[in-house]
Structure formats: structure tokens, C-alpha cells
Amino acid sequence: MSTASTAQATSTSPPDTEAAPIRVGVSACLLGEQVRFDSGHKRDRFVADVLADYFELISVCPEVAIGLGTPRPPIRLVGDPDSPRAVGTRDAGKDVTTDLADYGRTMARRLEGISGYILKSKSPSCGMERVKVYTDTGHPAGSGTGIYAAEIMRANPMLPVEEEGRLNDPVLRENFIGRLYAYHRWQCLMAEGVTPEALVDFHTRHKLILMSHSPERLRELGRLVARAGSEPVEPLAEAYGEAFMATLRHRATRRRHTNVLQHLMGYLKGHLDGDDKAELLELIEDYRIGRVPLIVPVTLIKHHFRRHPEPYIDRQLYLHWQPAGLSLWNHI
């Protein structure tokens, strides 16, 4: 089991191998730390109990880090929703915007090696989106992003970021964790030193994953990686990485997963008898119409590939990228 560590005390460096521990930044209150303005916490069971078994969780509370005590008078966002200030609710003269922004920029450098971030929703410091913003007179002015969170995301737009509440949605949860693992693999590739051959191999291994998110963007990425070997690899890899992570932000849909399942079945047709084909087609259709979760046809496909190995499919990460214990495909 991974244990939470405090980012204020230590820094993390980029992973040097794919076996490196996967580090995820987490708002400290979600791990049960009593750091909120009322000395309470917002412990999230999925984050603290489930994800802690798979990732090294790096605990951060920016408000405590900049010297706000516990308990403390709360703060809120005021002014322009696109560029709000963080001020005290009882003392509007207490403006901690600069402190939170500076700390966010500092942590973005210190946490260079994290592969994802889980933020506390609605927080004026950590909220990813839809944080209430008020006028100077206390009336609603719209919504924005927490000051600290904005700096973290601005410093690394490729970083997978999510809020704890949204992780209750099975589709959003699968998308975030899938991006987290993918970004970690990308970090490892870059840390090891990307070559044209390695970039092509990385793309090949992710083809079916990318197909489940956007077949159109898969083709665009294919055209990009086809230039490997004829152009300088570093700028090409940078462009590929940005496009790769942007593609994974598109949610994989039932229709696109069905397309991937049918594509996989094409590699088995020469090995399956009539009854096996009919069974697999039926399960794929049951998934398409929402009668069974994705794990059902995937389990049968994996069974058939164990009996009839296919080298190209063996290299694909689509069937193997997630630990079984996360049960991500049991609910979509």
C-alpha cells in the first residue's frame, strides 16, 4: 500500500523507469488531514482507501503552507471570475492571492515528477473549476478556479487533474486514471531519452486506447509519429506528447469501445468456431446497448487471446493497462 507523503517537506523528481512509483498530488483534506479552516477534513474514501493502494499520494494543503492556521477565518474568491482574488470572508483586507499563486508556482516545480493531481472541489485555493466568485459587496459574480490550482494547471497543461467529487462518476474516474497511467508512461519515455524508434513503439502500444477516445485523433497522431526519423525527435516528441494527452481528455464512449472490441475480434476470427464467434458477438452487442459492462466482453476476448496469442495484440495496452482491483470497467 502506498502511503501519503507531505510535499512541503520533500520534492519529487521525474521517474526514470516505468516501474517507478506513480506519484499523485492530493489535497491534504481528502486524505483525512485536519487542515480545513474549521480544523476539520473532507476525507474521501475512494482516494484515501482505494487509490492509496496503487499510487504514492503526495499530500498538499496550500492554505496551511502559506501560514494560515487551523482553525482560521475562511477565504473566498472575489472580483473578476477570470482573474479572482482570494480574500478573507470576515476581513476583506486580508488578501492571500499572491501567496497562494507563488506557492502554486513553487509546488509546480517541486512536484515535477507527479503524474496526476486530485483537488478539493469548490475550494478557493484548490478548486479545479466552478468555484464561487463574489463581488466586493458579497453578491455572486460567477465561478472560477482556485488560485493554487490555477498555477498548478498552468505550469503543466498535460498533467491529468481531477476533483474528488467528479471521481464518483465511473466514466470520469476511468478517464482520469487512464490518463494518469498514460502520462506516467510518457514521463518514463521522456526520462529514458526518447528516440524515433521509442516514439513509434509508444504510439503503437497505445493505438487501441487512442481509438477508444478518438479515431480521428489517432489518425492525426499516426501522421505525426510517421515523421519520426526524418525530423529532430525532441520537438516532434513534445508535439506528440501534447496531442497524445489532449486526445485522452476526450472521453472514451460506448460506441468507440464497441469499435475497438470489434477490431480485436477481427484478430480472432480465424481461430474461433461458430459458437465462439456468436457468443462474442452477442456480448459485444450486449455491451453496445448497455446490458453488460465493458469488463464482460473484454474478459472473454482476453480468454481467447490467451488461447490464441497474437504478437501485435500482446503489445497493445488496451487490454492490460489497469490493475484488476480498481474495477474501472465494471461500471461503464
Side-chain angles (χ1 to χ4, degrees):
M1 174 183 292
S2 296
T3 56
S5 57
T6 302
Q8 287 92 322
T10 61
S11 63
T12 58
S13 56
D16 56 4
T17 70
E18 194 162 324
I22 302 178
R23 302 179 176 95
V24 180
V26 181
S27 292
C29 59
L30 299 178
L31 297 174
E33 297 181 31
Q34 295 176 306
V35 293
R36 287 177 59 80
F37 71 94
D38 58 0
S39 295
H41 62 79
K42 288 289 183 178
R43 189 178 191 276
D44 184 275
R45 292 181 61 186
F46 177 70
V47 175
D49 295 339
V50 177
L51 295 187
D53 282 340
Y54 299 92
F55 307 107
E56 179 182 344
L57 304 181
I58 310 299
S59 170
V60 184
C61 178
E63 294 181 26
V64 170
I66 65 170
L68 301 182
T70 52
R72 58 183 178 272
I75 59 174
R76 66 182 178 186
L77 299 183
V78 300
D80 181 358
D82 293 328
S83 184
R85 294 175 289 115
V87 303
T89 58
R90 301 170 193 167
D91 178 7
K94 185 174 182 59
D95 190 322
V96 294
T97 308
T98 300
D99 290 341
L100 286 172
D102 287 347
Y103 186 69
R105 288 188 286 270
T106 296
M107 291 308 295
R109 294 190 298 270
R110 189 175 298 174
L111 295 176
E112 186 182 6
I114 63 170
S115 301
Y117 213 121
I118 302 172
L119 294 163
K120 178 68 191 80
S121 61
K122 303 178 183 179
S123 163
S125 58
C126 291
M128 182 180 78
E129 58 183 28
R130 299 189 305 276
V131 182
K132 290 182 180 179
V133 181
Y134 298 87
T135 66
D136 290 331
T137 57
H139 294 94
S143 62
T145 299
I147 305 299
Y148 169 83
E151 296 299 333
I152 292 292
M153 293 187 289
R154 184 178 294 115
N156 189 349
M158 291 173 62
L159 182 72
V161 178
E162 198 45 277
E163 295 180 332
E164 90 290 353
R166 286 164 51 92
L167 293 177
N168 292 322
D169 182 315
V171 175
L172 295 180
R173 182 167 63 239
E174 190 268 350
N175 179 269
F176 171 69
I177 296 177
R179 286 188 291 131
L180 196 161
Y181 275 105
Y183 187 51
H184 178 70
R185 291 191 293 270
W186 179 255
Q187 289 173 302
C188 292
L189 174 66
M190 298 304 289
E192 291 165 359
V194 65
T195 64
E197 296 78 15
L199 184 61
V200 170
D201 181 68
F202 182 91
H203 177 71
T204 300
R205 293 167 63 209
H206 288 87
K207 276 187 176 180
L208 297 185
I209 290 178
L210 292 165
M211 184 185 294
S212 71
H213 287 267
S214 174
E216 298 78 15
R217 286 178 174 260
L218 168 61
R219 288 191 288 272
E220 292 173 8
L221 285 164
R223 289 192 290 270
L224 190 62
V225 82
R227 291 151 49 187
S230 61
E231 297 184 9
V233 69
E234 288 81 6
L236 182 63
E238 182 178 354
Y240 179 90
E242 292 174 0
F244 173 75
M245 292 306 301
T247 299
L248 297 184
R249 283 198 293 270
H250 289 255
R251 298 175 196 172
T253 64
R254 191 175 292 271
R255 177 178 62 83
R256 290 169 185 155
H257 275 303
T258 298
N259 183 39
V260 174
L261 296 174
Q262 292 169 340
H263 185 82
L264 285 165
M265 185 175 176
Y267 286 88
L268 291 166
K269 284 185 176 179
H271 303 290
L272 304 183
D273 61 28
D275 289 342
D276 285 339
K277 289 179 183 177
E279 179 187 32
L280 184 51
L281 281 170
E282 181 178 2
L283 284 183
I284 292 174
E285 176 63 13
D286 283 346
Y287 168 70
R288 188 189 69 81
I289 63 177
R291 189 174 293 161
V292 299
L294 181 57
I295 193 65
V296 175
V298 163
T299 299
L300 183 57
I301 286 174
K302 290 170 72 172
H303 164 74
H304 286 310
F305 276 118
R306 281 193 294 269
R307 293 174 55 202
H308 309 289
E310 166 58 49
Y312 175 76
I313 299 302
D314 285 345
R315 297 180 63 213
Q316 290 295 313
L317 289 162
Y318 180 84
L319 295 174
H320 311 291
W321 70 264
Q322 58 172 297
L326 284 174
S327 303
L328 296 175
W329 283 355
N330 290 12
H331 307 288
I332 63 172

